[in-house]
Amino acid sequence: MTHAHPKTVPPAPHPAMQVPSPARKHRPRLALLWLLAPLTLGGCGIFGGGHAHTGDQGKPEKSAALPPAGTLYANGIAYLQKGENKKASDAFNEVEVNYPYSTWATHAELLHGYAEFRRQNFDSAVGALNRFIQLHPASPDAAYAYYLRALCYYEQIEGVQHDQTFTLEAVQALQDVVTRFPNSAYARDARVKLRLAQNRLAGHEMSIGRFYERQNLYAAAVTKYQEVVQQYQTTTFVPEALERLTECYLDLGLTKEALRTAAVLGYNYPGSRWYQDAYNKLGAHDLLNGVAKPKRSGGFLFGLL
């Protein structure tokens, strides 16, 4: 899948866990400093003779064929470092399944989702991250879990001509990050991606509206263009939507609506090429009396709009 927007580098989910952007062409690397640090309960460590506590006192020990929780966790980290994401995912899943009450299980749940994300196995990643969020809502890593879940949807966004289900899910998940963790570094990046996702939704509505207009289904086209203006006011498609609304109103003989819409376009985007087009169409219908002339381009941005 090809995105029309640039990738950004999200911050780390932990002060000592440096995680570059988990985009397809720039996969994250996990620093061993945090991930291999002993998670202690009563002095439990990764290596040495001690086994991780399971929380079930008095039960017989695990089979000798199954490594201790700390060993499985360390193996998962090692696999991640080597890019063997399937093996890493399996190792973290083994910790979750066989040592659910161990000191390693919490981070294993998060890293299981992370490994699945790196495999581009997004459904499985979302499932693992949802479990982490449900079981550990107050975890210091909850913000990162929400953010990574949003990226699972964001990475599946299709072009404007395709179904936008993943875009809608991405918007909701990114909004969750912004709402729940407004002051986090994840929220800053989520806001950028949220604007890009909303722009994609607006582009999808515009593509449908243009199709209706080409078929002379002006009323249906007007509905789509109005959705863009009302629901996606901060996107780059608003000037075009206003111009095409003006055009459709003229084709429908609704001159008052055309003049009113053109006035909104001229007020907000006086130097845009879209207002120039609307102005020319009003002129073709002898409706320029009292209509403001387009201004000369105010800069690079106006030239794009």
Side-chain angles (χ1 to χ4, degrees):
M1 174 183 59
T2 300
H3 292 286
H5 44 262
K7 302 299 180 184
T8 57
V9 179
H14 187 279
M17 180 182 176
Q18 299 303 318
V19 184
S21 175
R24 284 194 175 87
K25 296 183 180 178
H26 188 139
R27 294 299 176 192
R29 296 176 298 174
L30 302 180
L32 291 178
L33 179 60
W34 175 69
L35 292 169
L36 291 182
L39 303 179
T40 57
L41 274 184
C44 173
I46 299 179
F47 303 108
H51 291 266
H53 294 291
T54 64
D56 297 325
Q57 300 297 329
K59 288 190 176 182
E61 292 186 347
K62 297 287 181 182
S63 168
L66 181 67
T71 301
L72 287 170
Y73 186 89
N75 289 342
I77 297 299
Y79 288 135
L80 281 178
Q81 291 293 320
K82 292 187 291 186
E84 298 182 42
N85 300 314
K86 173 64 166 63
K87 291 182 179 180
S89 177
D90 290 342
F92 294 130
N93 188 57
E94 284 290 315
V95 177
E96 288 186 69
V97 171
N98 294 288
Y99 301 96
Y101 305 110
S102 73
T103 57
W104 307 100
T106 299
H107 289 116
E109 291 165 1
L110 178 60
L111 293 178
H112 180 201
Y114 177 72
E116 288 297 284
F117 177 88
R118 286 177 57 160
R119 296 180 62 207
Q120 300 181 28
N121 193 354
F122 297 118
D123 287 345
S124 180
V126 168
L129 293 166
N130 280 338
R131 288 195 299 275
F132 179 88
I133 290 168
Q134 291 166 5
L135 292 172
H136 314 287
S139 168
D141 294 317
Y144 183 72
Y146 273 94
Y147 176 66
L148 188 58
R149 183 179 67 174
L151 291 188
C152 288
Y153 296 123
Y154 185 80
E155 283 295 297
Q156 298 180 81
I157 292 177
E158 299 286 353
V160 295
Q161 303 295 333
H162 296 82
D163 178 77
Q164 295 299 303
T165 296
F166 288 122
T167 312
L168 290 167
E169 291 176 325
V171 165
Q172 181 59 58
L174 289 165
Q175 189 62 58
D176 279 346
V177 177
V178 173
T179 302
R180 294 173 183 271
F181 311 98
N183 299 318
S184 68
Y186 306 112
R188 289 194 291 272
D189 190 63
R191 289 186 185 98
V192 173
K193 288 181 168 57
L194 185 58
R195 288 194 294 271
L196 293 169
Q198 289 172 335
N199 211 62
R200 185 61 55 88
L201 291 175
H204 180 67
E205 295 302 313
M206 288 298 299
S207 68
I208 298 174
R210 294 187 204 104
F211 171 79
Y212 286 148
E213 188 175 358
R214 287 194 300 271
Q215 303 301 313
N216 299 325
L217 301 172
Y218 299 119
V222 164
T223 298
K224 287 299 177 184
Y225 297 146
Q226 285 177 338
E227 286 182 21
V228 173
V229 174
Q230 295 168 6
Q231 298 181 24
Y232 303 103
Q233 297 179 5
T234 61
T235 69
T236 60
F237 288 98
V238 171
E240 180 187 354
L242 288 168
E243 189 279 333
R244 292 188 180 278
L245 274 171
T246 302
E247 188 175 67
C248 288
Y249 287 140
L250 289 173
D251 288 331
L252 290 168
L254 303 173
T255 56
K256 289 184 179 180
E257 287 79 359
L259 287 167
R260 183 167 54 248
T261 303
V264 173
L265 176 58
Y267 180 82
N268 289 281
Y269 308 95
S272 72
R273 67 184 181 91
W274 295 111
Y275 183 53
Q276 181 67 64
D277 288 347
Y279 184 86
N280 292 341
K281 287 175 176 125
L282 290 175
H285 287 75
D286 297 322
L287 295 172
L288 288 181
N289 186 29
V291 176
K293 293 183 178 180
K295 294 183 179 180
R296 296 187 63 180
S297 175
F300 177 70
L301 180 60
F302 277 133
L304 292 179
L305 297 177

